[in-house]
Amino acid sequence: MFKALALFAATAYANSNADDTTGIFPGDDQWKSGTVSIDSFGDDIFYWMFQSRQDTYETDPLVLWLTGGPGCASEVALFYENGPYQFNEDSSLKVNPNSWNAVSNLLYVDQPIGTGFSKGGLHDAKSETEVAEDMAIMLRGFLEQNPEFAGRDFYITGESYAGHYVPAISHYLLNEGSDVNLNLKGMAIGNGLTDPYAQYPAYATFSYENGLISKKWEDVMVGGMKACQALIYESQHKGGKILDVAALEYCQILADTVIGNPLSPKFNVYDIRIPCDAPPLCYDFSQSDAFLNRDDVQAVLGISGRKWVECDSMVHTYLLGDWMTNLMPQVADILDNNDVEVLVYSGDKDWICNWRGGEAWTEATKWGSKADFNSAEYNDWLVNGTAAGSMRQYGNLHFLRVFDAGHMVPMDQPENALAMLTRFIKNDWTPLNETDVEIMQ
């Protein structure tokens, strides 16, 4: 009842780049920011939308980006991965030539409620059902404020815990939320947690293959992961927070034997090539903390007086019972019953959501073409004539191992990530063993 009320109160006001009268944001990107009311308790969701840099912006698709966590703000990706702006050493901003709005209208959303600039609290989401319901309300409100996007081709993308969000929201929009006037064409999950049962055993495989553990300890982990899977199975089929937390605790403790103390891991769990310089996120995002809490920046964005944090602990805590939820069935249903492209991509230097886990859950997906997908060969994926990854695909399912990238593929391989998005939007992945130059034109 309470959330139904929000349908009539999508929010009052939005800001734009025209409000930046002092030149905080460089370049000539056109953008709009706003909030959408979600319920009668004062909770809302903040968005920041960047117009496509192409002359065809009026028809270019809308690409939604969701950062994971759960509870981490999408501005982290905006400034450090695939957004129009990056920080200079002096914390001023510069333009990112590989921003994803080079080929699309790019929408960053702080969700679930309570994340980033979005208001939340006692009514924060506890399940993917609530996450999806709230996002449908947000998108209805966004379209009220931005009616030019009604009926537009739409892609939902994200990374990490967005491996839960992206399938849940996509499936909801194709079914219960089909009244949202957007044409969902594809969903992309980067280094995501989607099917814990299939993914947790991959910690043993990936860690041994990359010299992080001995063969003896791999054998120990393989045995231990069988117990982990048994707990996950119980939590998924019997339900209850006690089982959910027990499965999470046991499986994570076993996985963490690879890294030692999680508060001071032996290596960067998001990129095994480098040390963890700033636990627990391992990266120093303090420039974003200072910038987004400046009074003048918040005034330009239209959200004065809010406290922005990279990752909100309350949002994270509320979703602990959701961690072991398996979103693979939603992906399978989408593949079998809708003409929607599904891209699963994984930077191959990430440990926390490693590519072996991504490979495992795509192979485990129970859809009509499972056997055909699993028997498909990997092919080189070339960007400008150079092997940038390896892809297995069949039908609408594509699994891409991205070479020399960690958890945040657009940060580590910005040009290749933009090439990937361009192919995804054009739905043109063949021939994979030829240059991508033409596809980028």
Side-chain angles (χ1 to χ4, degrees):
M1 179 182 71
F2 293 110
K3 291 187 177 178
L5 296 175
L7 297 179
F8 305 102
T11 85
Y13 189 66
N15 277 30
S16 74
N17 52 283
D19 294 288
D20 182 19
T21 58
T22 60
I24 296 172
F25 297 99
D28 54 7
D29 279 299
Q30 305 294 299
W31 57 260
K32 188 174 182 179
S33 61
T35 56
V36 174
S37 301
I38 298 300
D39 54 37
S40 61
F41 303 107
D43 300 322
D44 63 28
I45 288 181
F46 172 80
Y47 71 85
W48 197 349
M49 190 276 297
F50 295 86
Q51 182 179 290
S52 171
R53 291 172 177 171
Q54 299 187 123
D55 293 338
T56 51
Y57 64 87
E58 291 182 336
T59 56
D60 282 348
L62 181 66
V63 172
L64 170 65
W65 174 270
L66 304 172
T67 295
C72 294
S74 288
E75 290 81 23
V76 173
L78 194 162
F79 288 104
Y80 294 96
E81 296 189 70
N82 51 15
Y85 307 122
Q86 296 173 328
F87 287 107
N88 291 306
E89 287 189 12
D90 65 358
S91 293
S92 63
L93 296 178
K94 60 183 177 181
V95 173
N96 175 16
N98 293 302
S99 173
W100 283 12
N101 75 320
V103 295
S104 70
N105 297 288
L106 184 56
L107 176 62
Y108 291 93
V109 172
D110 283 344
Q111 67 84 51
I113 58 172
T115 301
F117 282 128
S118 298
K119 285 185 180 179
L122 295 177
H123 306 283
D124 287 356
K126 300 182 183 68
S127 70
E128 292 308 310
T129 299
E130 293 179 36
V131 167
E133 289 173 346
D134 288 351
M135 272 302 300
I137 293 170
M138 181 272 158
L139 290 170
R140 292 184 190 105
F142 173 81
L143 290 172
E144 285 184 28
Q145 296 180 30
N146 304 274
E148 66 271 22
F149 288 106
R152 194 76 65 95
D153 286 352
F154 184 48
Y155 297 82
I156 303 178
T157 68
E159 73 189 7
S160 198
Y161 204 79
H164 274 44
Y165 301 151
V166 172
I169 295 166
S170 299
H171 193 265
Y172 188 87
L173 293 179
L174 291 166
N175 294 279
E176 298 92 335
S178 59
D179 63 293
V180 176
N181 191 12
L182 290 165
N183 182 26
L184 183 63
K185 300 285 287 184
M187 51 177 272
I189 300 168
N191 288 82
L193 176 65
T194 300
D195 180 353
Y197 184 91
Q199 289 180 254
Y200 264 91
Y203 280 114
T205 306
F206 179 86
S207 298
Y208 177 68
E209 287 178 344
N210 287 275
L212 303 175
I213 57 174
S214 65
K215 177 60 179 170
K216 182 178 180 180
W217 193 249
E218 182 200 20
D219 293 339
V220 171
M221 288 189 72
V222 167
M225 285 299 174
K226 288 183 172 61
C228 164
Q229 286 184 307
L231 285 169
I232 293 173
Y233 182 89
E234 290 291 305
S235 73
Q236 290 176 349
H237 290 81
K238 293 185 178 179
K241 187 154 187 173
I242 293 177
L243 282 173
D244 293 338
V245 174
L248 175 58
E249 286 291 320
Y250 175 84
C251 297
Q252 205 56 51
I253 288 171
L254 180 58
D256 286 348
T257 60
V258 178
I259 65 174
N261 181 359
L263 298 178
S264 183
K266 297 175 183 177
F267 52 85
N268 185 330
V269 297
Y270 304 105
D271 189 332
I272 62 173
R273 299 170 295 183
I274 58 178
C276 181
D277 292 328
L281 294 182
C282 290
Y283 297 98
D284 182 4
F285 296 139
S286 58
Q287 286 180 306
S288 63
D289 297 324
F291 181 80
L292 291 168
N293 285 300
R294 279 170 40 182
D295 291 343
D296 57 341
V297 171
Q298 292 195 358
V300 169
L301 294 176
I303 33 78
S304 294
R306 301 199 181 192
K307 173 67 175 176
W308 186 89
V309 295
E310 297 164 22
C311 299
D312 186 273
S313 58
M314 181 177 287
V315 175
H316 186 97
T317 300
Y318 268 58
L319 281 169
L320 282 178
D322 177 66
W323 198 277
M324 291 302 179
T325 301
N326 180 15
L327 277 299
M328 179 267 284
Q330 283 86 336
V331 176
D333 187 61
I334 290 170
L335 287 167
D336 281 336
N337 296 301
N338 301 273
D339 186 18
V340 172
E341 296 298 314
V342 177
L343 170 63
V344 179
Y345 66 92
S346 296
D348 66 1
K349 304 305 179 188
D350 179 30
W351 179 82
I352 197 76
C353 291
N354 57 74
W355 80 271
R356 283 298 190 188
E359 178 184 57
W361 86 255
T362 52
E363 289 179 348
T365 299
K366 297 175 182 177
W367 62 304
S369 298
K370 176 182 178 181
D372 294 312
F373 175 81
N374 290 354
S375 63
E377 298 289 333
Y378 279 96
N379 287 295
D380 286 343
W381 171 56
L382 304 185
V383 177
N384 296 327
T386 301
S390 184
M391 175 173 274
R392 167 190 280 169
Q393 58 182 339
Y394 187 87
N396 285 1
L397 180 58
H398 317 269
F399 175 68
L400 176 62
R401 172 188 178 183
V402 182
F403 295 158
D404 298 320
H407 191 69
M408 294 178 281
V409 170
M411 180 177 75
D412 294 334
Q413 295 292 342
E415 183 179 355
N416 296 346
L418 179 57
M420 177 188 72
L421 178 71
T422 304
R423 277 194 173 272
F424 179 51
I425 289 172
K426 290 180 179 288
N427 190 21
D428 186 349
W429 294 99
T430 54
L432 284 176
N433 291 325
E434 294 183 7
T435 178
D436 275 350
V437 171
E438 291 187 5
I439 203 76
M440 292 294 289
Q441 294 175 347

